[in-house]
């Protein structure tokens, strides 16, 4: 995926759901993975020509799993002139040593988001950008159907009334395959996830299930995606311009 395509798909999501307004200060959550680094590229580039003025800060929550070299990410942020904050925590120790959690992902996510929100507020941010892409959206919906028995997927934007922050997801139109291509083309400084259960979660199971469904039923991921964005899910904002299905087809 070329940079211009990334800008185009990201800007469409931002415009369709009014994710960015004049004067926003957006904290980009950086895990060190390909998705969050691609999002940083997208927002830093859009900042140069988007008609609404906004500021960026990058934040990484270090879970304390041990050696986690973030110097390549720091160098990228310096090149982009984006302030970068690393929040040191002992979340890993709490999960695996103190509590000895057998299914740590939900608690980890809660603690990580809490640390990220606190850091964003201290920096004066009013929004946090997550790097969820199209497959993340589909997998979340399938996780909800399989394990909770309800049709649900996260919204392009979510207001957190307890903190006053708004979470935005500008990459929901971007395919994971395009993110992988972008990572390879632009040699993103990906930092390996040190979590000991990485790759052994329910989400990983659903990711593999989705790949199997697509292989056996070509086009199923497109249909699942459109079922979500056109499905009137509670909490989703209305699209504010061209129908989503038509826009996405123009990029397939």
């Amino acid at each position: 995926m070329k940079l211009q395509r990334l800008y185009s798909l990201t800007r469409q999501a931002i415009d369709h759901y009014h994710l960015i307004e004049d004067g926003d200060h957006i904290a980009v959550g950086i895990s060190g993975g390909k998705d969050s680094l691609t999002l940083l590229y997208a927002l830093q580039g859009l900042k140069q020509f988007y008609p609404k003025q906004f500021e960026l800060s990058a934040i990484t929550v270090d879970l304390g799993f041990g050696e986690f070299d973030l110097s390549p990410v720091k160098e990228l942020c310096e090149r982009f002139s984006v302030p970068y904050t690393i929040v040191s925590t002992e979340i890993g120790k709490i999960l695996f040593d103190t509590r000895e959690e057998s299914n740590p992902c939900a608690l980890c996510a809660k603690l990580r988001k809490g640390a990220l929100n606190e850091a964003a507020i201290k920096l004066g941010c009013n929004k946090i950008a997550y790097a969820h892409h199209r497959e993340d959206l589909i997998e979340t919906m399938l996780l909800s159907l399989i394990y909770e028995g309800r049709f649900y997927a996260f919204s392009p934007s979510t207001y957190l009334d307890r903190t006053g922050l708004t979470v935005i997801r500008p990459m929901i139109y971007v395919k994971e395959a395009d993110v992988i291509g972008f990572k390879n083309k632009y040699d993103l400084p990906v930092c390996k996830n040190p979590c000991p259960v990485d790759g052994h979660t329910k989400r990983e199971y659903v990711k593999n299930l989705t790949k199997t469904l697509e292989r056996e039923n070509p086009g199923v991921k497109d249909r699942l995606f459109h079922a979500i964005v056109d499905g009137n899910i509670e909490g989703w904002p209305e699209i504010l311009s061209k129908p989503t299905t038509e826009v996405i087809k123009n990029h397939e």
Side-chain angles (χ1 to χ4, degrees):
M1 177 174 63
K2 294 182 178 179
L3 191 57
Q4 194 57 44
R5 176 180 170 83
L6 175 64
Y7 290 159
S8 176
L9 290 173
T10 304
R11 179 167 181 171
Q12 285 172 30
I14 290 170
D15 288 345
H16 289 171
Y17 296 107
H18 278 197
L19 301 184
I20 294 178
E21 301 293 346
D22 269 320
D24 281 346
H25 186 176
I26 303 169
V28 184
I30 303 292
S31 67
K34 66 183 188 312
D35 303 337
S36 59
L37 294 175
T38 298
L39 176 61
L40 181 63
Y41 257 86
L43 293 180
Q44 188 275 337
L46 285 173
K47 185 175 181 292
Q48 311 309 312
F49 59 84
Y50 195 64
K52 296 179 180 179
Q53 303 297 306
F54 61 93
E55 296 299 322
L56 293 176
S57 292
I59 303 174
T60 294
V61 176
D62 185 347
L63 303 181
F65 283 117
E67 194 66 30
F68 191 27
D69 182 14
L70 291 163
S71 56
V73 176
K74 183 178 180 181
E75 291 172 9
L76 180 65
C77 289
E78 289 175 351
R79 177 153 63 90
F80 285 164
S81 298
V82 174
Y84 183 44
T85 300
I86 299 174
V87 180
S88 298
T89 73
E90 294 188 349
I91 292 174
K93 181 179 179 181
I94 293 170
L95 293 174
F96 293 98
D97 296 339
T98 305
R99 296 176 61 99
E100 298 182 349
E101 292 281 338
S102 57
N103 296 297
C105 297
L107 179 57
C108 179
K110 182 178 180 180
L111 295 174
R112 186 176 68 249
K113 289 175 182 177
L116 178 60
N117 292 349
E118 183 178 350
I121 292 170
K122 286 182 179 178
L123 291 172
C125 300
N126 65 310
K127 291 182 177 177
I128 295 179
Y130 288 169
H132 293 127
H133 49 62
R134 195 179 74 149
E135 275 69 16
D136 288 326
L137 189 67
I138 294 168
E139 291 158 15
T140 298
M141 183 270 289
L142 288 175
L143 279 165
S144 182
L145 281 176
I146 294 170
Y147 296 107
E148 300 175 5
R150 64 188 181 116
F151 183 64
Y152 165 81
F154 51 71
S155 170
S157 66
T158 306
Y159 179 68
L160 308 177
D161 53 7
R162 292 180 63 181
T163 63
L165 295 166
T166 298
V167 171
I168 61 173
R169 298 176 170 91
M171 285 195 355
I172 60 169
Y173 289 171
V174 180
K175 295 180 180 180
E176 184 175 26
D178 284 339
V179 175
I180 294 171
F182 186 84
K183 177 201 74 171
N184 294 333
K185 182 177 179 63
Y186 292 91
D187 194 24
L188 299 186
V190 172
C191 303
K192 179 174 173 54
N193 187 344
C195 176
V197 298
D198 183 41
H200 303 280
T201 63
K202 288 180 179 178
R203 180 169 288 276
E204 189 69 19
Y205 165 74
V206 169
K207 178 184 288 291
N208 292 328
L209 174 62
T210 305
K211 291 177 180 177
T212 300
L213 290 172
E214 178 66 25
R215 184 172 61 251
E216 297 177 352
N217 306 273
V220 71
K221 287 202 292 186
D222 291 337
R223 294 188 288 275
L224 290 172
F225 174 76
H226 296 317
I228 296 168
V229 297
D230 298 330
N232 297 316
I233 296 176
E234 183 179 354
W236 269 62
E238 291 186 11
I239 196 165
L240 299 172
S241 55
K242 197 175 183 181
T244 306
T245 51
E246 184 178 348
V247 169
I248 300 304
K249 285 179 180 178
N250 288 342
H251 289 270
E252 292 174 347

